[in-house]
């Protein structure tokens, strides 16, 4: 029975798929004269060259300096990973996500990794 347990541990250990270094959850919070927003980007590997990108945004519009009820928006996108330049080229909107492992940058917006 002891040997069966050790065999199980070895098999489970060998089957663990290593997570890609940029895979994870990234967040950003920003405020302007017109709104307050929390942005979350979730990167998951679809296959060795493709990433699934989920962007969730919660925002509150401001009217006369009063916050209106929170609204939510979710986008599901796909991107191709470029290992040479450490970036993901998003297919539908043509965005480029520059990845460092701890942050990603889309245009001038920087997202920090939380998970």
């Amino acid at each position: 029975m002891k040997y069966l347990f050790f065999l199980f541990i070895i098999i489970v250990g060998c089957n663990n798929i290593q997570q890609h270094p940029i895979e994870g959850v990234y967040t950003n919070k920003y405020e302007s004269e017109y709104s307050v927003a929390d942005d979350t980007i979730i990167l998951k590997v679809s296959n060795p060259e493709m990433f699934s990108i989920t962007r969730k945004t919660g925002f509150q519009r401001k009217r006369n300096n009063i916050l209106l009820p929170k609204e939510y928006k979710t986008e599901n996108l796909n991107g191709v990973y470029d290992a040479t330049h450490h970036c993901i080229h998003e297919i539908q909107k043509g965005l480029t996500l520059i990845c460092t492992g701890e942050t990603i940058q889309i245009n001038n917006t920087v997202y920090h990794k939380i998970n």
Side-chain angles (χ1 to χ4, degrees), residues 2-13:
K2 200 185 318 185
Y3 297 110
L4 186 59
F5 176 73
F6 285 120
L7 181 62
F8 174 75
I9 296 297
I10 290 170
I11 290 171
V12 170

Side-chain angles (χ1 to χ4, degrees), residues 46-99:
S46 300
N47 67 49
E49 297 175 1
M50 294 289 294
F51 271 84
S52 156
I53 305 164
T54 303
R55 184 175 187 176
K56 296 182 179 189
T57 305
F59 59 95
Q60 289 181 280
R61 299 175 200 266
K62 290 182 183 178
R63 187 171 294 145
N64 298 325
N65 251 1
I66 297 172
L67 289 174
L68 300 177
K70 197 163 192 175
E71 300 176 50
Y72 299 93
K73 180 180 173 184
T74 300
E75 291 180 287
N76 293 307
L77 308 166
N78 293 303
V80 177
Y81 182 63
D82 180 351
T84 306
H85 297 101
H86 302 288
C87 62
I88 299 172
H89 299 285
E90 189 276 321
I91 299 168
Q92 291 96 332
K93 293 184 170 186
L95 298 172
T96 299
L97 289 76
I98 301 169
C99 311

